[in-house]
Amino acid sequence: MPDFLSRLTGMVMRLLPLLLMAIVAGSTFWLVQLNSPREDAEQSRAKRHEPDYWMERFSATELAEDGSTKLRFTGVRMIHFEDDQTYEVTTPAMRSYEADRPPVTANSDRGVMNAEGSVIDLYGNAFVIRQAGADPSKDPRMTAASQYFQLLVNDDIVKTDKAVELTRGPSVMTANGMIFNNVTREVQLLGNVRGTIIMNPPQGQTRTQ
């Protein structure tokens, strides 16, 4: 009996380091599992195109370095979607103020803005107005009407691949698309271009929209 106990004790002493290592390994695994964030069912599911918050009658203003208003964006309602981080806006209106060029206003029935606010798509009765420059005879009021415009806010560009009507003073043009660069004041009409260009109109002649 003493020999058996002696052999058993020796066996236990030889296995003790292995048992201790197993206990340490098991404890480490348990601690890792305990401290690791568990993936919530809400997080693991695919995000749906559903609103997660909204604003009513909002107005957002971007200021220039001197504190003056650079951009103002307003709407009746703005809804944020969680899946693609976009915003859907009811009756959006954006007005751009630049010290060296006439202000530009764009509005429509509905708008979609990307997460960064750098691209705004205007849908339904989209209308853009650029006010006359310092010398209206050389830089008259200009308007553009279409069912769709895309505003590239950082580049100050308005474009569309849909039918558009452009007025510049008394001149009226229609086309299948347009690219308007407000920085260079260049307008490129695309596709089938038609219209009437009036050069040097009589003084006092105006056109309203």
Side-chain angles (χ1 to χ4, degrees):
M1 189 68 171
D3 292 340
F4 173 76
L5 291 176
S6 178
R7 288 196 300 272
L8 180 61
T9 302
M11 182 180 300
V12 170
M13 294 300 295
R14 288 194 300 272
L15 294 176
L16 184 60
L18 296 177
L19 292 173
L20 290 175
M21 291 179 63
I23 292 172
V24 171
S27 299
T28 302
F29 177 78
W30 179 77
L31 289 173
V32 169
Q33 292 298 312
L34 182 64
N35 290 283
S36 297
R38 296 186 177 182
E39 191 174 41
D40 190 86
E42 184 73 13
Q43 296 176 339
S44 62
R45 70 174 178 83
K47 290 185 177 181
R48 301 175 183 176
H49 192 66
E50 296 178 345
D52 53 359
Y53 67 85
W54 63 87
M55 291 177 280
E56 301 280 354
R57 300 190 180 281
F58 72 93
S59 177
T61 301
E62 179 182 347
L63 301 179
E65 293 182 357
D66 62 358
S68 61
T69 300
K70 181 179 179 181
L71 291 172
R72 179 169 290 128
F73 185 51
T74 63
V76 172
R77 181 180 176 89
M78 182 164 70
I79 303 172
H80 179 264
F81 291 90
E82 63 169 348
D83 60 337
D84 56 6
Q85 301 296 306
T86 58
Y87 301 83
E88 185 167 311
V89 186
T90 304
T91 60
M94 171 167 280
R95 188 172 178 86
S96 172
Y97 304 86
E98 295 289 345
D100 58 344
R101 49 186 181 266
V104 176
T105 303
N107 58 73
S108 66
D109 295 338
R110 183 176 69 90
V112 176
M113 181 172 65
N114 68 348
E116 296 78 22
S118 59
V119 179
I120 303 175
D121 294 301
L122 301 178
Y123 301 94
N125 298 311
F127 193 64
V128 178
I129 304 174
R130 193 203 69 183
Q131 301 297 335
D135 185 354
S137 64
K138 296 181 180 178
D139 193 10
R141 178 176 181 266
M142 189 178 73
T143 71
S146 179
Q147 289 303 307
Y148 168 73
F149 284 120
Q150 184 176 73
L151 310 182
L152 305 180
V153 178
N154 296 337
D155 299 322
D156 210 353
I157 289 176
V158 179
K159 64 180 184 178
T160 182
D161 57 359
K162 306 299 183 184
V164 60
E165 180 182 84
L166 178 74
T167 71
R168 186 176 185 274
S171 301
V172 181
M173 306 290 291
T174 60
N176 295 336
M178 181 194 76
I179 301 175
F180 166 51
N181 189 322
N182 191 42
V183 178
T184 62
R185 302 190 187 181
E186 295 177 343
V187 179
Q188 181 181 0
L189 295 176
L190 310 173
N192 186 18
V193 180
R194 296 172 178 267
T196 302
I197 299 177
I198 300 176
M199 305 297 294
N200 300 319
Q203 187 174 4
Q205 182 176 345
T206 59
R207 177 184 176 88
T208 60
Q209 178 75 23

